[in-house]
Structure formats: C-alpha cells, structure tokens
Amino acid sequence: MTTSITPLIAGNWKMNGLMASLSEVQKLAEMLTRGTAPRCTVAICPPATLLARISEMAASSGIVTGGQDCHPAQSGAHTGDISATMLADAGAQFVIVGHSERRAGHGESDDLVRTKAQAAFAAGLTPIICVGETEAERRDGQAEAVVGRQVATSVPEEAQAIDVVIAYEPVWAIGTGLTPTTDDIRQVHDMIRAQLIERFGDSGQTIRLLYGGSMKPANARDILMVENVNGGLVGGASLLANDFYAIISAV
Ligand code: PGA
C-alpha cells in the first residue's frame, strides 16, 4: 500500500440488491460507527434503483456511493441509460466505468470508456476506470501490454488535474474465486504507476490504483499490503455487511 494515498474500498453490487438489501447497508453503517474509524474511504456502488436511498441512509456513517456506469451525455434521448448528472443528483460521488462486464457484455471500447470518464468529471464525479486482461491474454504473456493499452486510451488527459481512480481487475479473477499471486498484482500495478507518472508527472503518483477480482476477507490483507495497491473494488464480498466490513478492516 502507498501510505500517502487514502485507500478506497468500493463495493460493486452489480445487478444485485432489492429494497430488502438496505438492511445490509444499515448493518455496515452501524459496524462502521461502532468500531474504530476506517482507514480508507468506503463506497458502495448499488444498482441505480437503490442509489438515492443508500446515499441518504449511509451518509451519517461516512459511507459514500457510486453508480456502476454512465452514458457519455448528460441528458437526452437515450432510453434506458443513466447519466453522470443523474448519479450525482442521487448522491453519488463515484461512478464505475469500463467494467469488464460492460466491455464484454455491451461492447464498450476504450474510447467510449474515456468519454464516460469525461462525463463523470463534468458532473463532478470521480470515475473508477476499470482495466484488466482476459485469461487467454494472460496465458499469451499479453497481460501488461493489454492493460497498458487500456490505461493509455481509457484514462482521459484531464486525469492529471481531476480525481480519478483506476481499478485493475483481471477478467479471469472476477467472480471466479481465482486471484493472481501478489507478485503478479505488484507487477501490473507497478507498470500502471510508472505509466501514469510518465504521462502525468507528479499527479501520476497520487492516482488511486485499486485491485479487483475475488477479493475477500481471507485474501484482502495480503493484496492490500502490495505497494501501489491503494484499495479494492469488491464484487461478491461486498453484498454482505460482515464480509465487506472484514475487508475494510484489513486496510
Ligand atoms: P468479484 O467482482 O469481487 O465478485 O470478483 C469484482 C468486480 O467485478 O468488480
């Protein structure tokens, strides 16, 4: 972990969560207010249907919220889409863009992801820009080349002046229970850091780099100890307050 950066632990609920799930947020909020103050920013990215509710109920415990995707435009004729302005209006501070499930399931390109990150900036949100190689790309020794290319194109130029978060999520580790070794994580995170410094100078030092992909209470501590890992993007293990709290406590 890089000590000068406040880490971020962000929960990505994906397409999970009904009104009944609000009780997990309540439980987490109670755990966070009862225990010692977390040494990180804690964010929940619920489905859009729960965003305003969770933003309201979690505020007093210091939990912040984020959306899971946004459209590049702030409003208009885009049936079914949601804009960064709408997410901000519902209380969000973050928005995930370029998650591999959107890249794969909705054909999102690096160029599109970059315009979504720019829409986030325009709405005053911090984008969490996701990158990561597939299993085949790692097998072919292409992991760093792929991630380097994604970072180069998905991260907008404005990132040098505005808060931005990058999440390294190997596609093969998402939801599978598989994780890279800490050495593999270190290698990719160091590569991203070097690339950001080369491109943005000093501000490249302070961009938060999250790891994501089967992060859970049992492995969070080891992963968070890695230099240049400044937090985690947590899917499955963020749905239950106990598990998510255990990861937050590992910081
Ligand atoms: P996972 O998902 O923790 O369930 O592997 C992480 C993510 O997709 O952000």
Side-chain angles (χ1 to χ4, degrees):
M1 194 122 66
T2 326
T3 42
S4 57
I5 300 178
T6 305
L8 167 67
I9 301 290
N12 172 13
W13 282 17
K14 311 191 177 186
M15 200 171 71
N16 299 295
L18 303 171
M19 285 298 168
S21 320
L22 297 178
S23 63
E24 288 301 316
V25 178
Q26 193 58 46
K27 193 168 158 190
L28 179 69
E30 281 164 20
M31 289 167 125
L32 287 170
T33 35
R34 253 202 330 265
T36 45
R39 298 160 83 165
C40 57
T41 304
V42 177
I44 294 177
C45 304
T49 48
L50 297 179
L51 185 59
R53 285 292 296 277
I54 293 182
S55 300
E56 248 174 55
M57 67 186 279
S60 61
S61 63
I63 299 170
V64 297
T65 58
Q68 297 179 8
D69 177 49
C70 67
H71 192 278
Q74 303 297 346
S75 65
H78 305 286
T79 303
D81 281 315
I82 190 156
S83 75
T85 302
M86 291 168 175
L87 297 172
D89 189 50
Q93 291 187 21
F94 291 94
V95 59
I96 299 168
V97 294
H99 190 283
S100 66
E101 285 151 15
R102 303 237 20 122
R103 289 177 184 264
H106 297 263
E108 294 195 0
S109 66
D110 289 322
D111 286 324
L112 177 62
V113 173
R114 189 181 63 252
T115 60
K116 290 184 173 201
Q118 286 166 323
F121 291 148
L125 299 179
T126 298
I128 301 174
I129 303 171
C130 300
V131 297
E133 82 284 2
T134 62
E135 187 180 10
E137 287 162 344
R138 174 154 289 265
R139 210 183 317 111
D140 294 346
Q142 293 300 307
E144 288 189 37
V146 168
V147 171
R149 203 165 54 231
Q150 289 174 334
V151 170
T153 316
S154 306
V155 177
E157 216 41 48
E158 296 92 313
Q160 62 185 305
I162 310 180
D163 192 28
V164 62
V165 177
I166 297 172
Y168 168 57
E169 299 203 304
V171 178
W172 51 273
I174 294 176
T176 58
L178 303 171
T179 47
T181 65
T182 48
D183 278 345
D184 288 339
I185 296 174
R186 178 178 299 108
Q187 218 172 324
V188 176
H189 279 242
D190 286 354
M191 183 276 295
I192 298 174
R193 178 68 71 209
Q195 185 178 335
L196 293 172
I197 291 170
E198 191 182 316
R199 181 166 163 203
F200 298 130
D202 281 351
S203 47
Q205 296 269 22
T206 56
I207 293 176
R208 281 185 283 198
L209 305 184
L210 311 187
Y211 169 78
S214 297
M215 192 185 249
K216 40 187 180 271
N219 61 22
R221 197 166 178 278
D222 286 345
I223 294 173
L224 292 167
M225 297 263 283
V226 174
E227 177 79 21
N228 283 319
V229 171
N230 315 118
L233 183 56
V234 185
S238 71
L239 295 171
L240 295 176
N242 283 335
D243 287 351
F244 197 43
Y245 183 72
I247 294 173
I248 293 162
S249 307
V251 174

